[in-house]
Amino acid sequence: MVKRGKRKGKLPPFIFILLIGFLGCTSQKKPSNNKLVVWHWMTDRKDAFRQLAQEYEKETGIKVEFKLFFPPDIYSQKVIAAARAEALPDIFGILGEKKTFASFIKAGHVLDLTSYMKEDNSLWQNKFYPQTLRVVIFEENNAYGIKPGIYGVPIDTTLLNFVYNKSLLRKAGLDPDNYPKTLDEFLDDAKKIKEKLGVDGFVCGWGEGWLLYALATEWAINLMGEDKFLRTIKGNVPYTDRDWVKVFSYFDKLRRLDILAHGIATMTNKEAEDAFSKEKAVFSFNGSWAVNVYKKRNPNLDYAFFPLPRVSDKFPVKIWGGAGSSFMVNGKSANRKEAVKFLKWITSRKQQEFLIRETNNLPSIKGCEENLPPVLKSLISQFDSLTHPDIWPQNEHSQVIEVIDRGLQRIILGIKTPQEVAREIQKTKERIHR
Amino acid sequence: MNSAIKEKGVNFSFILPALFIFSIFWIYPFFYTFILSFQENDLISLPKFVGFNNFRVVLTSSDWWSSMYNGAFITFWALTFQNILAFMLALAVDRVIRLKKFYRVVFFILPVLSEIIIGLLMKQVLASEPVGRDVLNHLLDHLGVGFMVQDWLGHDRVRLTTALVHCWKGFGWAFVILLAGLQSIPEQLYEAARIDGANAWQCFTRVTVPLLMPVITLVVVLTILGTMQAFAMILALTGGAGGLTTVPVMMIYDHLRHNIAGLAATEGLILGVILVTVSFIMFFVSKRIRRKYGVLPN
């Protein structure tokens, strides 16, 4: 038999553990004036950020701790969980649609930076490329119901572009400086090179649907104009419209010509980057971040970017781009002011030039152009053509985008026609809006 | 009276930590999923009550039913090919007692490996360049059976290939459970049957199968539950292949990734209800069979 005295002693430890756990869950972080915590997902910038943090500590005495969480999906979930638990760091990035960004702002997790940006005659704001900054801006009467303002700090700029292997063009007897300007020219070149050299005409990470959606929207804007494109999103033009079917049929054309890399519909972007850098394909569609990737995988790769091959002369070409990675200041952080100071510092010219050198990304601020590698410099001229779902007055419903992505994959696999896919997309759109 | 209450209190305090953990990690998520399915919720801003709208959206979505079909297709292969293979191997190993531990380990290696690893590995084996290394086709070529070379992950074969990879990865589980079941059948029953003049086939159909029926039911239920919830291996192997191998959990994952938590919860709930119903039906059928063979009293 157990003695009562011994039992008495066993109760407190459980309660003690529960109390510790309870207090651990509810305790608030104490304000710290000499340490900032930054969460990010950018593996390629890990070392550069560490060096910048050391530099900042030397200059100001404030320690900056960069915490990397990878892959981006995991990072995204971590940020959402932290927001719910009121445990976000001083500075963090938000991945995802503008709608998600707006939700963070509505919940008070993101500091409105407008007043800081407008200080000294908008000194900080004017440093940025306007095309880059507008991704983190909420305009007057925006669809998300957010107070107009600037809510983030872009630390680089990215854009999606076509890219071609110059050596393969040369080997195939084509002029390496004369890239294809129209879709027909593009298809011709890809076909010729495939026949002559036996390499794939085009490779892309189309297993990741967003790259398909980006290309489809770029061709749609070029074919029907931005106005009609946006009216489709609003629901005033159906996806079964002739122009949309035409856009989907471009993907069918690519398939029929047999220029696509094998397994392209299930390929990840990483696999596509690998294939392009190993010269297994002549053309690709990728972001400006690819410069860093290609450099690491094949430093001798001779390539260049070129804008979207046009499908019409009626409307201008628009390409996806804008802020690549942005940082937001935690609106509930006790170190808000210090966080803003640090972001001002990291977006100043010296630090941006360092980031360009270390990570081969396009800068978010003006004035660093001369330090860019030639392949990136060529992209600056395209900044005026940039567009992005985050700057459209309204974005398509994510379920509709899902059906577009899947539908395009089915066209590429040859199991659906453009007309069938258009009908499926329209049906989904109507079902959601019913 | 006081000391009795006190003693109950003390006793209760011992289960309190377990109850606390169980409530946080099981009971609360279950009810929260239920609540989420009636909301439009991105997990950040204030949720909006939408009644049964999420259920309407999911149940009328052809993509959802297509993912259920894909899940059912893989489950069919797992129930037949995978379990029959596991059963045959278990029967064989049950006799070779000396090497049973070795075989157990060999067959159990695959199920304990990470699904992602298996998916990525098989992608290298099955996919042609530039995605994979086309190992299987090269091997077939070397073996002189070049006519068998296929585009294993092409749109006309990707579903079957995915199902077979799933079976290959999963048969070890069924094997271990069935082997344990076989070894629990007393040898005396076989001896008695043989004395009564039963041949090997009769021993198998009249002794082994009826006595193994609870284990077979368990394996069938676990196969259905496991396969309908399969996800990581398929994601790594095909990424959904334009919906050809998109399974229900992949839909849930995609919606959660896009912060459409209400829809994801609804899909989880619908899938859960279907799986629980199927499990109950399987237990009911198993009971009927066991009664038929006289293993259970009427």
Side-chain angles (χ1 to χ4, degrees):
Chain A
M1 194 174 159
V2 183
K3 283 183 184 175
R4 211 164 276 275
K6 278 188 181 174
R7 275 191 186 174
K8 270 180 191 170
K10 286 183 180 170
L11 186 59
F14 291 138
I15 293 172
F16 180 72
I17 290 165
L18 289 178
L19 270 174
I20 294 273
F22 182 72
L23 289 171
C25 290
T26 56
S27 67
Q28 295 261 319
K29 278 182 184 170
K30 282 181 184 173
S32 159
N33 289 326
N34 53 11
K35 188 183 172 188
L36 291 171
V37 178
V38 187
W39 283 4
H40 74 105
W41 65 96
M42 298 163 254
T43 38
D44 61 330
R45 269 159 270 197
K46 192 181 158 199
D47 293 333
F49 282 153
R50 191 177 39 81
Q51 288 180 54
L52 284 175
Q54 283 169 355
E55 187 69 28
Y56 192 68
E57 193 177 0
K58 249 189 240 168
E59 277 183 31
T60 62
I62 292 170
K63 191 177 164 61
V64 182
E65 190 186 351
F66 278 96
K67 284 189 175 175
L68 170 74
F69 300 98
F70 192 79
D73 271 357
I74 300 292
Y75 172 82
S76 256
Q77 296 307 318
K78 183 165 178 71
V79 168
I80 291 173
R84 286 180 70 82
E86 302 284 342
L88 282 167
D90 304 305
I91 298 170
F92 60 100
I94 297 170
L95 292 174
E97 299 166 22
K98 195 126 181 182
K99 200 174 138 198
T100 309
F101 188 12
S103 296
F104 271 88
I105 298 170
K106 274 184 195 164
H109 296 302
V110 179
L111 184 69
D112 182 355
L113 298 170
T114 316
S115 56
Y116 299 99
M117 287 276 182
K118 302 272 181 205
E119 272 171 8
D120 303 322
N121 266 338
S122 303
L123 186 69
W124 194 19
Q125 182 180 355
N126 290 338
K127 275 185 177 179
F128 293 94
Y129 288 109
Q131 299 89 342
T132 303
L133 194 63
R134 66 185 173 178
V135 172
V136 290
I137 289 176
F138 282 83
E139 302 284 359
E140 202 80 50
N141 301 319
N142 58 77
Y144 310 96
I146 300 292
K147 185 188 146 203
I150 305 168
Y151 290 89
V153 181
I155 56 157
D156 62 34
T157 306
T158 55
L159 57 88
L160 282 174
N161 231 316
F162 274 75
V163 55
Y164 70 104
N165 184 314
K166 285 180 153 187
S167 328
L168 290 177
L169 242 72
R170 210 174 286 124
K171 272 187 204 164
L174 298 168
D175 178 6
D177 296 317
N178 188 19
Y179 58 81
K181 313 282 186 304
T182 65
L183 179 61
D184 288 335
E185 282 175 25
F186 170 78
L187 296 174
D188 266 0
D189 286 0
K191 185 88 188 147
K192 267 182 210 159
I193 294 166
K194 178 153 190 180
E195 278 166 6
K196 277 194 177 175
L197 307 177
V199 296
D200 288 320
F202 181 76
V203 71
C204 191
W206 280 348
E208 296 171 24
W210 71 274
L211 279 165
L212 275 167
Y213 183 63
L215 185 55
T217 51
E218 286 185 7
W219 269 331
I221 291 171
N222 179 224
L223 180 73
M224 62 185 84
E226 210 161 4
D227 178 57
K228 186 172 176 181
F229 170 77
L230 292 173
R231 280 193 290 125
T232 313
I233 293 178
K234 278 184 190 156
N236 300 331
V237 175
Y239 279 102
T240 45
D241 181 273
R242 218 177 55 169
D243 279 350
W244 274 104
V245 175
K246 218 169 168 183
V247 169
F248 301 142
S249 69
Y250 299 143
F251 293 89
D252 196 37
K253 220 170 176 179
L254 289 168
R255 178 187 68 83
R256 281 172 194 278
L257 274 176
D258 197 26
I259 55 166
L260 300 175
H262 197 88
I264 195 168
T266 57
M267 202 181 277
T268 61
N269 199 31
K270 213 175 162 208
E271 288 164 342
E273 284 166 347
D274 197 47
F276 185 80
S277 59
K278 286 179 182 160
E279 307 206 305
K280 288 179 180 170
V282 65
F283 293 113
S284 187
F285 178 65
N286 206 353
S288 47
W289 61 81
V291 174
N292 202 30
V293 180
Y294 297 151
K295 192 181 167 190
K296 280 182 184 164
R297 297 205 185 151
N298 181 4
N300 301 319
L301 188 70
D302 187 14
Y303 68 99
F305 284 103
F306 66 102
L308 177 83
R310 280 193 324 270
V311 289
S312 158
D313 287 326
K314 209 171 158 191
F315 296 101
V317 163
K318 291 274 178 184
I319 51 175
W320 268 40
S325 317
S326 300
F327 279 135
M328 285 83 198
V329 175
N330 180 357
K332 296 174 183 176
S333 160
N335 303 318
R336 289 188 297 268
K337 282 188 179 167
E338 284 305 332
V340 173
K341 268 186 205 164
F342 173 69
L343 290 178
K344 270 189 182 176
W345 181 83
I346 206 171
T347 50
S348 61
R349 193 165 162 179
K350 192 180 156 200
Q351 278 60 251
Q352 282 282 298
E353 281 173 351
F354 172 77
L355 279 173
I356 293 169
R357 213 168 42 244
E358 295 294 311
T359 67
N360 291 292
N361 278 296
L362 288 164
S364 59
I365 62 159
K366 294 174 269 188
C368 309
E369 292 81 2
E370 66 268 27
N371 295 300
L372 286 170
V375 71
L376 279 176
K377 211 180 226 176
S378 68
L379 295 174
I380 299 278
S381 60
Q382 293 183 39
F383 274 23
D384 288 336
S385 315
L386 293 187
T387 187
H388 194 270
D390 286 357
I391 61 162
W392 301 338
Q394 194 180 338
N395 198 356
E396 187 52 277
H397 197 285
S398 47
Q399 273 174 270
V400 178
I401 297 174
E402 227 175 75
V403 178
I404 295 175
D405 296 346
R406 214 169 288 147
L408 292 173
Q409 285 174 337
R410 285 172 185 170
I411 291 174
I412 292 157
L413 287 167
I415 50 175
K416 290 269 175 178
T417 64
Q419 288 81 359
E420 284 171 330
V421 168
R423 278 196 294 274
E424 270 174 24
I425 299 167
Q426 186 56 27
K427 214 170 123 190
T428 306
K429 186 154 177 106
E430 284 167 11
R431 191 166 48 85
I432 288 163
H433 289 278
R434 205 178 295 148
Chain B
M1 181 68 181
N2 262 356
S3 71
I5 293 169
K6 207 172 170 184
E7 194 165 326
K8 273 187 183 170
V10 171
N11 290 341
F12 183 70
S13 76
F14 283 102
I15 63 158
L16 203 60
L19 190 69
F20 182 72
I21 291 166
F22 186 71
S23 305
I24 286 181
F25 294 106
W26 291 95
I27 299 173
Y28 172 70
F30 178 78
F31 284 106
Y32 188 57
T33 305
F34 189 72
I35 292 164
L36 267 177
S37 64
F38 293 98
Q39 292 177 343
E40 192 183 298
N41 194 328
D42 62 4
L43 299 175
I44 309 157
S45 49
L46 282 176
K48 196 172 120 192
F49 180 76
V50 290
F52 285 95
N53 191 49
N54 287 334
F55 288 89
R56 182 186 65 80
V57 170
V58 175
L59 294 172
T60 57
S61 157
S62 57
D63 279 339
W64 169 253
W65 291 113
S66 145
S67 76
M68 286 296 290
Y69 170 77
N70 293 336
F73 179 86
I74 300 169
T75 304
F76 168 78
W77 280 93
L79 282 174
T80 52
F81 177 66
Q82 174 189 301
N83 287 349
I84 290 171
L85 178 73
F87 193 38
M88 282 162 63
L89 287 170
L91 277 174
V93 171
D94 187 36
R95 285 156 201 265
V96 194
I97 298 295
R98 264 192 309 170
L99 290 172
K100 72 175 186 240
K101 280 184 183 168
F102 170 73
Y103 285 115
R104 263 186 194 172
V105 172
V106 168
F107 294 140
F108 207 60
I109 285 174
L110 284 171
V112 296
L113 277 179
S114 150
E115 290 215 8
I116 293 281
I117 303 277
I118 294 279
L120 293 174
L121 187 79
M122 288 313 286
K123 196 171 185 176
Q124 293 300 312
V125 172
L126 297 167
S128 311
E129 289 208 37
V131 176
R133 300 280 175 269
D134 218 3
V135 178
L136 183 60
N137 282 340
H138 285 307
L139 191 71
L140 290 172
D141 228 8
H142 275 291
L143 291 173
V145 282
F147 63 90
M148 287 177 78
V149 167
Q150 309 273 346
D151 179 7
W152 299 102
L153 296 178
H155 68 86
D156 45 352
R157 270 180 209 88
V158 67
R159 205 180 273 137
L160 181 61
T161 306
T162 306
L164 293 179
V165 172
H166 177 83
C167 294
W168 174 70
K169 189 213 177 298
F171 84 90
W173 280 109
F175 163 81
V176 168
I177 299 171
L178 288 167
L179 182 63
L182 282 171
Q183 288 178 353
S184 70
I185 300 172
E187 185 56 36
Q188 294 92 316
L189 291 179
Y190 290 108
E191 280 169 16
R194 278 194 287 271
I195 289 166
D196 287 345
N199 58 26
W201 177 248
Q202 284 167 328
C203 279
F204 176 70
T205 54
R206 299 286 166 170
V207 180
T208 310
V209 173
L211 287 173
L212 209 60
M213 201 43 83
V215 179
I216 292 172
T217 311
L218 180 74
V219 168
V220 167
V221 169
L222 288 180
T223 305
I224 294 171
L225 296 182
T227 309
M228 285 303 286
Q229 293 180 74
F231 157 67
M233 186 278 289
I234 304 170
L235 186 74
L237 181 65
T238 70
L244 289 174
T245 57
T246 300
V247 285
V249 182
M250 216 181 260
M251 298 277 288
I252 297 170
Y253 170 75
D254 272 344
H255 287 141
L256 272 178
R257 221 156 51 99
H258 291 108
N259 302 329
I260 319 172
L263 215 55
T266 310
E267 287 166 342
L269 217 59
I270 292 171
L271 181 66
V273 168
I274 292 171
L275 294 183
V276 168
T277 310
V278 170
S279 304
F280 273 113
I281 292 170
M282 280 316 301
F283 279 116
F284 179 72
V285 170
S286 145
K287 238 180 184 177
R288 291 283 296 263
I289 294 171
R290 278 186 289 160
R291 273 208 188 108
K292 191 184 156 194
Y293 282 100
V295 181
L296 272 184
N298 283 317

